[in-house]
Amino acid sequence: MKTPDSTQKTGQEPFNQRVQQLSLWAQEFITGGRSPFRRIEPFAPILTPAGEIHPPLVFWINRDSYMAGGVLFFPDPSDPSPLPQGQMAAEALGLNYFVTWDISHITLWQRSQDDWSAARKLPVGGGESPNAADSHEALLGLMEAMKTFSVLGAVLPDNLSAYYLANLLRATMASLQTPLTEHYRIHRGMAESTRPESPAEKQAQGKSFTTLVRVMALALHDMLPKAGQPQKLEGDIAIAIAALPEPLASALRMLPAEAALPEEAQVRLHLLLHRLTQLDISRQPQRALQALEILRLETAAELGGHPVPGLPAPACNPVLLLHPDAIPEQAEAPILVASPPLIALHVLLRHLYRRTPFKACVFNALEVRPEPAPASICGTLTDSRLPSVGEKRELTARLRLSWPARRFRLPPRTPMWAWQLLHLVGLGAKDTFYDVVTPPHWLSSTFGKQLLGLILETAALHKLHRQENSLRLQLRKSQQAAAEVEIVHGRQVRRIAAKQLQQGAGSLLVLALALHEDIWNMIVNGKLHPVTSQTWTDLPEAGLLLFLRTGLGRYLWQVASGGRPLPRRTALRNEVLRQSLPLPDRQILAKLQHLQAKDQSEPNASLLDRELALYLGPLPELPAAASSVTDHTEHAALPDTPEQEVIEAVCEQVFRDGTPIFPDHYLYDYYRPELRTYVFDSPLTIQGEFFGLIEVRDARGNSFQVEGLEAAQALVLVSSQRIGSVDLPVDRSITVSILDRYRQDLRKLRGSLVKEVFRRQADPHSAKAIVEKLWRQKSLPPWHLISGS
């Protein structure tokens, strides 16, 4: 073991560097074989009642089974009390002791009953400023002392806290993430699906969380599979799940399209099952329930859960909950829409709380059936993906269930959440209450105007509340409109009479949510009027064009249109009416027009602003209007490996033995077969068959006949790679055999290529492009000629 330089002073080192150095020395001590510890982890994330903390060093006896042997803190000199964090970390790691290291002493704190006290102190050097050699010697002394404490300081299984169990599950989930992400990337590449999917990282997180919920359900019912082969673990879990009581068995079952766990993930999961068997958590269901609640608080948002915006009091039942992160207690037998992992968790928690089971659980709001009609619908819709053509056909069919008397033609860029909201509005019975959170900035979009119109035809809008990243709607399914709509703007509450919305001034909602207070007051006081087809008739268009060049006009247009460019003169009337743009009185527009007529030149914007202020009064300094956020799929930035690095690594792995050459490599197994030569100067295609003779044609229109479909297919494959000539066996059975082997080899090669590329590249679009690029570079036949055979 290296002895550190005695002249180096630990007090001069940056904190992180100091921790890393101690970690290296500790690992060297472990390598010497004189310690019960097997791994040192700097800044390990640990859940505690105070949130996530990161102790500088955790000493692990078995990291995979979450068996810690010690935890070390460096107290802040300005706050020398180390007890709160040390106590919480020790309890969360299943320990009865922790260690603090200050300038002159190392203290081992131990719990006796409910009190913590200093059990042992070790000096660090002989003075107030110990050097690196002193720290090294002190660490060795500490690790010798910790041998005893790590054994005597372990908490008995029955006394472990809920935070220990939550950390055990969370650590397992983290260990599953990498192999599962790689597995989903490869699975996606092999499937070659065009259906939009969530990122592999999200799929991996959902799968690992669902698997942990299944394991916990089995552990709580003392039904964990007995020790067997890890490779068969998921199958054993599926069999055990089927024996659980309902509704657990149905909610936790493996889904038909669910990808299986890869072998590495099953091996890691096997360690968790062994640890849970040791802990026998079925004897303390309350502790397990608390651990699941801790995980829910930590993970629900990442799994698509959102706070429930609100329920009527008393709650109207049945209630439909959309993607909740928790289930309100007053919701009796609710209908649940959530992601598969959250459905699994909510069903298990509801079972453990002994509450009424869910009436129904579905993954997508469009799967909610018309019966029973919910009395209240509360939650969040955020799926901003644009559905594919095939999905739109499915969505249209779903809407026929909720709107049997209506047929809709929604704009092409209508996001998935808007289809879902429309379906839910159609499903509701009379007086159904809605409290739904959606993405922001959609009211001024093309689909938003149509969606809002359909909602106002069927329901009474009561309240809109724009927050930073969302828009909350409260409405009631009723033919009788509310007297007014309440708009929450920051800390202000603005109100719009329902009659104004019905008269076509739909932009008022957009304006009320975003306008500067002084400008909104101009609408309230009648200085500005949303234009309608009735009031357009005598507007001076030249004056209107000039108004749109003023600061006020540009600001109003930006807010009302959602950030679109100013309209051209030929489209002026249609666009201004479509946005219900607020305009000053006709007389003011006429005066602006007259201003241009006086000198026959177009006045500049500053002159127009001064003229407008004479009639409307001083105008405030207007902020830049927020641009509309188009509702479409927003792909999160994924960590990708540089393309050239991926290509080089994949080529070294997949093509190290070259590529198969057809038919040359496949004729070696036959002794001097009789061959026939075919000559071609461009790619060939099969045209048809006549009495066993197959006609093939080149790109110039020249054609010839060959005997047997297998020979024609072989020629098509070879001509797609090169031109010239090729010798094929006269014996058709030999041609069939070598052609089948060549296709099998290409399929294996393609599978390896897809696997290695998708393993390294997170973005599926980039990964597919690299696969195609490498396939072409290696002069292999077009994949459709192989995949379709």
Side-chain angles (χ1 to χ4, degrees):
M1 186 182 297
K2 296 179 181 178
T3 302
D5 181 2
S6 60
T7 62
Q8 189 178 20
K9 299 295 177 66
T10 58
Q12 299 172 352
E13 296 173 352
F15 179 68
N16 287 356
Q17 182 180 348
R18 180 186 181 191
V19 170
Q20 292 296 338
Q21 182 61 73
L22 290 173
S23 175
L24 290 173
W25 290 339
Q27 199 63 52
E28 287 183 8
F29 183 86
I30 291 171
T31 305
R34 294 174 291 166
S35 173
F37 308 123
R38 290 294 173 264
R39 178 178 167 184
I40 309 298
E41 185 175 5
F43 306 109
I46 298 174
L47 293 177
T48 71
E52 184 177 282
I53 64 173
H54 300 81
L57 287 176
V58 177
F59 299 77
W60 294 103
I61 295 174
N62 188 330
R63 179 67 172 84
D64 292 333
S65 295
Y66 214 74
M67 297 174 64
V71 58
L72 173 62
F73 287 89
F74 297 91
D76 187 340
S78 63
D79 180 18
S81 174
L83 294 180
Q85 273 206 337
Q87 292 171 10
M88 289 187 293
E91 291 175 3
L93 291 169
L95 296 171
N96 269 327
Y97 88 105
F98 65 95
V99 182
T100 60
W101 185 320
D102 57 29
I103 293 176
S104 58
H105 287 89
I106 297 173
T107 306
L108 288 84
W109 301 84
Q110 193 167 30
R111 180 169 57 186
S112 177
Q113 301 297 329
D114 293 330
D115 295 327
W116 291 80
S117 59
R120 186 171 178 183
K121 285 196 174 187
L122 303 172
V124 180
E128 294 183 356
S129 183
N131 56 35
D134 294 332
S135 295
H136 181 263
E137 184 179 351
L139 177 67
L140 298 185
L142 171 63
M143 294 190 71
E144 286 290 346
M146 289 172 64
K147 289 181 180 180
T148 302
F149 278 84
S150 64
V151 176
L152 300 179
V155 178
L156 295 175
D158 285 350
N159 297 330
L160 289 169
S161 73
Y163 278 94
Y164 172 82
L165 186 55
N167 279 298
L168 168 63
L169 297 174
R170 186 183 189 227
T172 302
M173 187 172 168
S175 72
L176 295 175
Q177 186 67 19
T178 297
L180 276 173
T181 298
E182 181 179 299
H183 178 67
Y184 273 105
R185 289 182 186 176
I186 295 169
H187 179 76
R188 175 180 293 177
M190 300 297 286
E192 297 188 346
S193 172
T194 58
R195 194 179 186 93
E197 294 184 81
S198 58
E201 290 79 1
K202 286 288 186 184
Q203 291 181 298
Q205 185 182 38
K207 172 72 174 183
S208 62
F209 191 88
T210 305
T211 302
L212 291 184
V213 173
R214 290 169 177 154
V215 167
M216 286 296 289
L218 293 174
L220 284 163
H221 287 80
D222 197 19
M223 294 172 59
L224 284 174
K226 302 302 180 186
Q229 296 182 10
Q231 296 81 358
K232 297 181 179 180
L233 180 59
E234 190 167 33
D236 294 339
I237 289 175
I239 294 171
I241 288 291
L244 285 172
E246 291 293 350
L248 290 179
S250 297
L252 302 182
R253 73 187 189 283
M254 288 278 290
L255 300 175
E258 186 175 340
L261 286 171
E263 183 175 332
E264 181 181 351
Q266 295 199 73
V267 170
R268 292 176 182 270
L269 193 62
H270 191 265
L271 296 172
L272 174 66
L273 263 68
H274 180 69
R275 184 64 175 145
L276 291 176
T277 301
Q278 290 177 332
L279 299 179
D280 192 10
I281 66 171
S282 62
R283 293 186 303 171
Q284 291 187 321
Q286 190 62 30
R287 179 183 59 178
L289 178 58
Q290 293 170 359
L292 289 170
E293 286 286 13
I294 293 167
L295 279 184
R296 180 190 63 76
L297 289 170
E298 179 69 20
T299 317
E302 298 175 8
L303 298 173
H306 302 271
V308 177
L311 289 174
C316 300
N317 291 303
V319 59
L320 171 60
L321 296 172
L322 303 170
H323 305 285
D325 60 358
I327 307 300
E329 290 186 22
Q330 67 266 40
E332 289 294 329
I335 302 166
L336 178 62
V337 178
S339 63
L342 277 186
I343 285 180
L345 176 63
H346 288 320
V347 170
L348 177 56
L349 287 175
R350 202 163 182 86
H351 174 78
L352 295 175
Y353 281 124
R354 301 185 184 278
R355 293 177 186 161
T356 311
F358 292 104
K359 193 173 290 292
C361 297
V362 295
F363 304 142
N364 189 320
L366 286 152
E367 297 173 10
V368 178
R369 307 296 297 178
E371 297 294 337
S376 58
I377 298 176
C378 303
T380 302
L381 297 173
T382 59
D383 189 351
S384 291
R385 293 182 302 113
L386 295 181
S388 64
V389 174
E391 284 180 307
K392 284 181 181 177
R393 287 195 289 268
E394 296 177 21
L395 298 175
T396 302
R398 293 281 184 184
L399 289 183
R400 292 196 185 104
L401 296 176
S402 50
W403 296 84
R406 296 286 296 269
R407 295 293 179 268
F408 300 106
R409 292 182 61 86
L410 297 180
R413 298 191 66 79
T414 303
M416 189 69 78
W417 71 261
W419 290 83
Q420 293 169 347
L421 180 57
L422 186 57
H423 176 65
L424 295 175
V425 171
L427 279 182
K430 182 182 178 183
D431 290 328
T432 296
F433 170 78
Y434 294 80
D435 195 341
V436 180
V437 177
T438 70
H441 309 303
W442 59 268
L443 287 174
S444 58
S445 66
T446 303
F447 83 84
K449 292 179 182 297
Q450 184 172 342
L451 178 62
L452 180 62
L454 290 168
I455 290 175
L456 293 178
E457 284 181 23
T458 312
L461 182 61
H462 289 270
K463 186 176 182 179
L464 282 178
H465 185 187
R466 165 85 61 82
Q467 296 174 322
E468 184 178 357
N469 296 311
S470 64
L471 179 64
R472 180 178 173 185
L473 299 88
Q474 290 180 315
L475 49 111
R476 190 173 295 278
K477 188 102 175 257
S478 172
Q479 295 297 326
Q480 183 177 357
E484 59 184 14
V485 179
E486 188 176 290
I487 312 293
V488 179
H489 174 86
R491 296 182 179 180
Q492 296 181 336
V493 177
R494 297 171 175 176
R495 290 177 171 82
I496 302 174
K499 286 184 179 180
Q500 287 182 277
L501 296 180
Q502 293 173 340
Q503 290 168 358
S507 68
L508 279 176
L509 293 176
V510 179
L511 298 168
L513 284 167
L515 279 185
H516 185 281
E517 182 180 358
D518 291 343
I519 307 304
W520 174 253
N521 287 336
M522 288 184 179
I523 295 178
V524 175
N525 298 332
K527 290 185 177 181
L528 295 173
H529 311 274
V531 66
T532 65
S533 55
Q534 289 77 27
T535 59
W536 173 271
T537 52
D538 57 349
L539 287 180
E541 289 194 18
L544 173 56
L545 283 170
L546 290 175
F547 173 70
L548 288 175
R549 291 183 54 207
T550 66
L552 176 61
R554 289 196 303 271
Y555 174 72
L556 287 170
W557 175 261
Q558 287 288 309
V559 173
S561 69
R564 291 179 177 81
L566 288 170
R568 298 188 305 273
R569 183 159 192 162
T570 53
L572 182 65
R573 182 180 188 278
N574 288 339
E575 287 298 307
V576 169
L577 284 175
R578 193 163 72 90
Q579 306 299 344
S580 299
L581 186 70
L583 298 175
D585 292 336
R586 178 190 180 283
Q587 293 80 1
I588 296 176
L589 296 178
K591 288 177 180 179
L592 291 178
Q593 182 172 315
H594 180 67
L595 187 66
Q596 178 179 4
K598 285 194 297 185
D599 57 7
Q600 299 301 314
S601 62
E602 197 160 300
N604 58 41
S606 59
L607 177 60
L608 290 170
D609 287 339
R610 289 197 300 272
E611 185 74 12
L612 193 60
L614 294 175
Y615 312 120
L616 296 179
L619 297 174
E621 185 176 342
L622 298 173
S627 297
S628 174
V629 177
T630 306
D631 288 281
H632 57 80
T633 308
E634 296 179 5
H635 294 289
L638 299 173
D640 284 338
T641 307
E643 182 176 308
Q644 190 55 40
E645 186 179 330
V646 172
I647 289 174
E648 291 174 1
V650 168
C651 286
E652 182 179 347
Q653 183 74 21
V654 177
F655 299 113
R656 70 181 122 191
D657 297 326
T659 57
I661 299 176
F662 182 83
D664 308 47
H665 290 174
Y666 298 87
L667 292 174
Y668 295 150
D669 294 337
Y670 301 92
Y671 182 72
R672 294 183 179 179
E674 183 181 355
L675 302 175
R676 179 176 296 143
T677 301
Y678 298 89
V679 180
F680 46 88
D681 59 6
S682 62
L684 301 172
T685 56
I686 296 176
Q687 296 300 305
E689 180 182 5
F690 185 73
F691 288 106
L693 296 177
I694 308 299
E695 182 182 358
V696 295
R697 182 176 300 171
D698 63 20
R700 300 179 181 178
N702 303 316
S703 62
F704 58 91
Q705 293 180 327
V706 297
E707 186 176 347
L709 179 61
E710 62 285 343
Q713 291 174 338
L715 287 172
V716 170
L717 285 177
V718 173
S719 68
S720 69
Q721 300 172 261
R722 64 179 190 268
I723 59 174
S725 64
V726 64
D727 295 329
L728 294 176
V730 173
D731 187 333
R732 293 177 61 177
S733 65
I734 296 178
T735 304
V736 169
S737 176
I738 64 174
L739 184 60
D740 285 347
R741 286 167 51 205
Y742 181 49
R743 285 170 172 163
Q744 290 174 13
D745 288 346
L746 288 182
R747 291 188 182 105
K748 289 180 182 177
L749 189 66
R750 180 79 172 199
S752 298
L753 177 60
V754 168
K755 179 179 179 180
E756 295 303 325
V757 171
F758 274 77
R759 172 180 289 160
R760 293 170 171 82
Q761 191 77 0
D763 181 8
H765 300 288
S766 299
K768 288 179 181 178
I770 293 175
V771 169
E772 296 302 330
K773 180 177 181 178
L774 284 175
W775 194 259
R776 290 193 303 270
Q777 283 182 356
K778 298 300 178 181
S779 299
L780 294 165
W783 179 240
H784 68 85
L785 295 178
I786 308 301
S787 60
S789 60

